[in-house]
Amino acid sequence: MALIRGSARYLLTEAQAGRLHQLLSEQARHQWEHQVGVGEVRSWMRSLPPLLNELVDAGLGDVEVLLEHKLPHSPKRVDVILCGVHPRTGEVSYVLVELKQWSKAELLVADLVSIAAYSDAVLHPVAQVRAYCQYLVDSTPALADLPLAVHGIAYLHNATSTDIPSLMKYRSDRFGRMFTEDFKSELVEHLRALLDVAAGRDQARESADRFLRFAHGPSKPLLQLAAKEIQDREQFVLLDEQRVAYQLVEQAVATARAQRTQTVVVVLGGPGSGKSVIALSLLGELSRQGRKVHHATGSSAFTNTMRKVAGSRNTRVKTMFKYFNNYVGSEPRELDVLICDEAHRVRENSVNRWTGKEMRALAGRQIDELIDVAWVPVFLLDENQIVRPGEMGSLDEITAAATAAGCGVEIIRLDGQFRCGGSDAFDEWVGRLLGLAQLPPISWSRMTAGTDDDFKVVAAANPAAMEAWLRSQSERHSGIARLAAGYCWPWSDPIGTTGAKHLVADVAIGDWKRPWNAKPGKRVPDAPESYYWASDDRGFGQIGCIYTAQGFEYDWSGVIFGPDFVRRGDRWVARREYSHDPAVKKAEEAHFGALIRNTYKVLLTRGMEGTCVYSTDAETQEFLEKMVG
């Protein structure tokens, strides 16, 4: 979807009259529902006229131009897409254009560029437009079948080649070539070689119409890469109900293709029951079969880690890992299968994570969008992991939405504990400890009496002792150790100058002080990005919160109960005044306690080999020590 489309000649006339940036701003307010920043408006005013001038001067005034086109299933936008036909083949031809106002820039290393106006390094414009081209082809099967239809250029209209000599040495290919002001004649020659000057308006419009009608989903080349990267690299062994769930989805896909019917599959399971193993196994197998399939979650940390792990050898595979809010405005049944992992995090509406605004112009209920986009939507969830207001991924909600959409529903319940050292006992112990089970709390020693369960559960007298226990277990038995806590302390931005920033030790308990993990988008030297706190070796020594721990596992887990959840007599009390979570604090009173309880359930069930607990509250600490004994 583009903000504006029109011929190059028409758009140039609008720009020269001072109206084009106003039209773009109006459309942005309508489509994006937020005010466009001054910087973006200024870039439209300064960058679009030079390109449009070059097109008209080249005899390409009839070419159809799409401005600010949103890539499918992605928040990213391409500055300009030129639509026409190829002068040699007569086939459709599309040129993606990345416009930059830069006049000075320096190549740092690999794809990174230093610009005086920015404190952080940015991507080389050729690398940027090349990635957009590859993403578009990978997510548009029709374009994958037209191997010469898509091209990319970066136009630095304020710079000359002598201003940016290091950038000029960057490699070029059909998805990425760079032109500067002193290479305008080469730019014109290149565009005329890709777009037929004699084709006329009708063909240009039809080329754009065809582009906007393309169905989207993973292309066959991308699916082949995913199958090789995910399935062939690591063999997943599915047991019992895991295998049933896997085969049920395969059967639903076959039925959907034969009978053109939708089936919603819901897989219910607690922590460590194998939901994500099923998800990745399905992604690999369905990719191998050539099915159009995506993996989606509502967690930045989880999605980014999946992209890093599953796409480590080929970055194109990363594009198959999406967010729940990437399907606003998607066409019905664009995909064969949408695998919604961590589906308890489905929200009421798809929220634009970058602006915080609900995309009301297009967005309906998120659950409806996720069901509508695929023939077989698969939801893998644990209803006791809903930890924020607005999260509504429950069996009842999904079943009701599926029934309303006329879909069949299949439900699989996973039994067994494949995390926490395979300890079903620990999973039950946690449920009873927190009041999530019908039976009352029981001590760990009584729970495991007469069994060979070797999962370790201990209590620490203070956070320093907990940290020491985690370190000793990690060193003695190997494995990853992490310490997490309830969100009961402020979470500061890093302090210091660029290149010398450090985290603030916000979590203070007596003389013991440690920082939270890094905030999303706030990079700090010698600390992992927030997405990778659970897996990066540098994560030890920082305190993880629910948003960085949820969805992950590590060998040795430490959990600090803060003053937001305390034991009083024979019951738990959730105390809003001690919470520092801005989202959870807004929850209704009846819902607040359940969110806090679920938070500690998630934190307690991250460990695979052992868990250590401690509470800042004396009465709660006494209770935990009894339950561990």
Side-chain angles (χ1 to χ4, degrees):
M1 179 184 297
L3 281 186
I4 286 179
R5 61 175 287 189
S7 71
R9 186 177 294 105
Y10 161 74
L11 294 177
L12 177 59
T13 300
E14 293 299 293
Q16 291 172 335
R19 293 190 294 263
L20 183 57
H21 68 280
Q22 295 175 346
L23 292 172
L24 285 163
S25 297
E26 290 170 5
Q27 283 300 307
R29 282 195 296 272
H30 174 69
Q31 291 189 26
W32 305 341
E33 288 215 333
H34 69 88
Q35 190 73 30
V36 179
V38 174
E40 188 154 24
V41 174
R42 187 183 299 119
S43 71
W44 290 334
M45 295 174 66
R46 294 178 178 176
S47 294
L48 290 174
L51 175 66
L52 295 169
N53 263 313
E54 301 310 328
L55 289 169
V56 173
D57 288 348
L60 293 168
D62 286 336
V63 164
E64 189 79 350
V65 180
L66 308 180
L67 299 181
E68 296 293 337
H69 180 80
K70 182 176 174 292
L71 290 170
H73 308 139
S74 168
K76 299 297 184 181
R77 291 178 276 119
V78 183
D79 290 341
V80 179
I81 299 181
L82 308 177
C83 306
V85 296
H86 198 281
R88 181 170 53 83
T89 66
E91 291 280 1
V92 291
S93 185
Y94 305 108
V95 182
L96 279 62
V97 184
E98 180 64 26
L99 296 170
K100 298 295 185 188
Q101 301 179 68
W102 305 348
S103 56
K104 296 284 186 180
E106 188 72 29
L107 186 66
L108 292 176
V109 62
D111 296 335
L112 299 181
V113 173
S114 173
I115 306 293
Y118 304 138
S119 58
D120 296 324
V122 296
L123 199 61
H124 193 294
V126 170
Q128 186 177 356
V129 75
R130 178 181 290 129
Y132 289 167
C133 289
Q134 188 66 70
Y135 180 91
L136 183 63
V137 171
D138 280 343
S139 57
T140 312
L143 289 176
D145 293 336
L146 296 169
L148 300 179
V150 176
H151 299 264
I153 65 170
Y155 185 27
L156 280 63
H157 54 87
N158 284 338
T160 66
S161 55
T162 56
D163 294 327
I164 52 170
S166 61
L167 270 66
M168 300 299 294
K169 300 174 184 177
Y170 198 80
R171 68 181 179 89
S172 298
D173 57 26
R174 71 182 180 92
F175 281 170
R177 291 188 60 178
M178 190 169 72
F179 298 92
T180 51
E181 196 277 336
D182 55 332
F183 276 82
K184 285 192 293 186
S185 59
E186 286 81 356
L187 170 62
V188 168
E189 181 181 346
H190 183 63
L191 291 175
R192 287 169 66 95
L194 301 176
L195 299 163
D196 190 349
V197 297
R201 283 292 296 141
D202 288 346
Q203 283 191 286
R205 274 194 293 261
E206 174 54 32
S207 175
D209 289 342
R210 185 175 171 186
F211 181 87
L212 295 172
R213 289 196 302 264
F214 283 142
H216 298 296
S219 65
K220 288 182 181 179
L222 180 60
L223 291 170
Q224 291 165 0
L225 277 176
K228 183 175 181 62
E229 184 71 7
I230 298 167
Q231 189 184 51
D232 295 350
R233 189 179 70 157
E234 186 170 0
Q235 294 297 314
F236 299 108
V237 178
L238 302 179
L239 303 174
D240 301 331
E241 292 85 2
Q242 295 175 335
R243 174 59 61 181
V244 172
Y246 177 87
Q247 293 181 344
L248 187 62
V249 172
E250 286 197 312
Q251 180 60 43
V253 172
T255 302
R257 169 168 284 194
Q259 301 178 10
R260 311 306 285 172
T261 57
Q262 265 188 293
T263 300
V264 172
V265 179
V266 183
V267 181
L268 296 163
S273 56
K275 298 186 297 296
S276 293
V277 170
I278 295 170
L280 289 177
S281 297
L282 283 169
L283 185 62
E285 175 59 22
L286 293 168
S287 296
R288 186 189 66 78
Q289 295 175 11
R291 308 291 193 185
K292 291 186 288 186
V293 56
H294 281 168
H295 178 287
T297 80
S299 164
S300 294
F302 195 66
T303 295
N304 277 280
T305 299
M306 289 296 99
R307 288 172 175 172
K308 181 180 180 181
V309 172
S312 61
R313 296 185 302 186
N314 196 302
T315 57
R316 290 166 60 191
V317 175
K318 296 179 181 180
T319 64
M320 297 180 69
F321 292 89
K322 304 289 184 180
Y323 295 104
F324 293 153
N325 64 3
N326 284 155
Y327 299 95
V328 178
S330 295
E331 293 297 319
R333 269 71 71 197
E334 281 191 347
L335 303 175
D336 292 313
V337 180
L338 177 62
I339 302 165
C340 299
D341 206 350
E342 297 281 297
H344 38 266
R345 303 204 63 178
V346 170
R347 300 187 65 79
E348 293 176 4
N349 297 96
S350 289
V351 177
N352 186 315
R353 296 181 298 118
W354 287 264
T355 66
K357 301 286 186 179
E358 291 186 5
M359 296 176 282
R360 297 181 183 89
L362 291 173
R365 296 199 315 154
Q366 190 172 85
I367 187 66
D368 296 332
E369 294 161 0
L370 298 174
I371 289 174
D372 198 40
V373 77
W375 285 103
V376 182
V378 181
F379 296 92
L380 303 108
L381 68 141
D382 175 359
E383 293 181 297
N384 287 327
Q385 288 198 44
I386 295 174
V387 297
R388 294 190 71 176
E391 292 180 346
M392 51 172 289
S394 68
L395 177 60
D396 288 346
E397 290 282 358
I398 294 169
T399 301
T403 302
C407 303
V409 180
E410 298 283 357
I411 300 169
I412 292 291
R413 288 178 168 83
L414 302 177
D415 294 323
Q417 171 62 250
F418 295 88
R419 190 157 57 204
C420 298
S423 176
D424 287 322
F426 180 71
D427 197 36
E428 182 181 348
W429 180 82
V430 170
R432 294 176 66 168
L433 177 81
L434 298 177
L436 290 166
Q438 293 182 347
L439 294 173
I442 185 174
S443 70
W444 179 242
S445 58
R446 286 183 59 198
M447 173 67 73
T448 56
T451 73
D452 58 357
D453 196 304
D454 58 0
F455 187 80
K456 292 181 174 62
V457 182
V458 300
N462 53 62
M466 173 181 285
E467 194 172 46
W469 183 84
L470 291 170
R471 185 179 288 109
S472 68
Q473 297 303 310
S474 178
E475 291 173 353
R476 186 182 309 165
H477 304 288
S478 74
I480 297 172
R482 290 293 182 270
L483 202 166
Y487 200 161
C488 300
W489 291 268
W491 191 3
S492 304
D493 287 339
I495 60 175
T497 59
T498 301
K501 290 182 179 180
H502 63 272
L503 300 173
V504 179
D506 286 315
V507 183
I509 303 172
D511 294 334
W512 185 87
K513 297 179 181 181
R514 293 293 182 270
W516 290 111
N517 58 261
K519 281 187 174 182
K522 305 286 186 180
R523 295 190 177 185
V524 177
D526 300 322
E529 292 184 72
S530 63
Y531 312 129
Y532 309 126
W533 167 83
S535 57
D536 191 299
D537 289 341
R538 297 171 296 169
F540 191 80
Q542 303 147 32
I543 310 303
C545 71
I546 181 61
Y547 304 117
T548 42
Q550 189 172 30
F552 298 101
E553 58 189 36
Y554 23 89
D555 300 284
W556 305 99
S557 169
V559 179
I560 296 176
F561 283 71
D564 63 340
F565 198 56
V566 297
R567 191 76 177 180
R568 293 294 180 260
D570 62 352
R571 65 189 181 95
W572 288 97
V573 177
R575 302 193 292 182
R576 187 188 304 269
E577 65 270 26
Y578 291 100
S579 174
H580 281 259
D581 188 325
V584 173
K585 288 183 74 170
K586 297 176 183 177
E588 297 178 359
E589 190 62 35
H591 196 35
F592 175 79
L595 296 177
I596 296 297
R597 193 184 306 267
N598 286 351
T599 292
Y600 283 102
K601 192 245 185 174
V602 171
L603 296 181
L604 284 168
T605 52
R606 300 304 93 194
M608 295 184 291
E609 301 293 338
T611 296
C612 181
V613 295
Y614 163 78
S615 175
T616 60
D617 176 76
E619 185 175 343
T620 309
Q621 175 69 6
E622 183 180 355
F623 169 73
L624 292 176
E625 289 175 351
K626 289 180 180 178
M627 290 301 100
V628 164

